[in-house]
Structures are given as structure tokens and as C-alpha cells.
Amino acid sequence: LLYCVAGIDLRERWRVPNLLRVIGDSTYSLYLTHGMGLIILGEILQRLDLFAVLREAGSMILAVVLITAGAIVFTRLVEKPAIEVMRSLLRPSRPVPATP
């Protein structure tokens, strides 16, 4: 299914909505941060006694939305700047002209 959607997108017959592109760009950050996000959100829900109010479905929806939003923020504030720093460090520097 993903291969078909990617193939359609490459042929520009169907444009992927911008929100889905942003989420797709944040998948590595989501992978890195979701565990800690779940722990923190679980603590907050427990301390504020919100789990009883939200129940399972509400807690899941809240977790998905907040942790995905957190991953997007992490991507923009940490991952992308770190990639740019690494690229600048790994770019070959201009050769220094030899002096006669």
C-alpha cells in the first residue's frame, strides 16, 4: 500500500497533503521520543487524575496527538539543525592554494 502511494506521488497524479509530509519527515524523531513522551504523559494523566475522565480511547487519542506534535517540534528544533551542523562539518573544505 505504501509503495503504491509513493509511486502515485512520484508521478504527481496525487499530492500528499502537507500535514502528512510533515509527520512523515518526523518519523525518526517520533521513534526516538515516543517512549519518553508516553512516560511523561502517563505521569501527567495519573497526577491530574485525567485517566478516569478521558478513559482509554481519550487517553490514546491525546497521546497520539501530543506525542506526534512533540516529535514534529523535536524534528524542527533538534534533528534538522543537527543534520545541518553535521553536513557542514562533513563538507569538503576548499583547497588552500599553494604558496610559491
Side-chain angles (χ1 to χ4, degrees):
L1 181 62
L2 290 175
Y3 182 75
C4 291
V5 170
I8 291 169
D9 186 45
L10 289 175
R11 293 184 185 153
E12 296 194 30
R13 291 184 185 163
W14 182 68
R15 300 294 296 169
V16 175
N18 211 21
L19 177 63
L20 294 180
R21 286 185 189 273
V22 170
I23 292 171
D25 289 345
S26 301
T27 55
Y28 187 66
S29 291
L30 181 62
Y31 168 72
L32 293 176
T33 61
H34 79 279
M36 185 58 68
L38 285 172
I39 292 169
I40 292 169
L41 183 60
E43 280 293 316
I44 291 170
L45 290 176
Q46 187 175 21
R47 288 182 186 205
L48 297 177
D49 201 27
L50 289 176
F51 187 74
V53 174
L54 296 173
R55 309 271 184 195
E56 291 86 7
S59 298
M60 278 291 236
I61 292 168
L62 183 66
V64 168
V65 170
L66 290 180
I67 291 171
T68 302
I72 292 168
V73 169
F74 187 86
T75 298
R76 294 195 179 190
L77 296 180
V78 178
E79 183 183 350
K80 285 188 177 187
I83 289 171
E84 286 305 313
V85 167
M86 293 306 293
R87 281 185 180 153
S88 69
L89 292 173
L90 296 174
R91 277 190 199 113
S93 59
R94 292 186 225 170
V96 178
T99 56

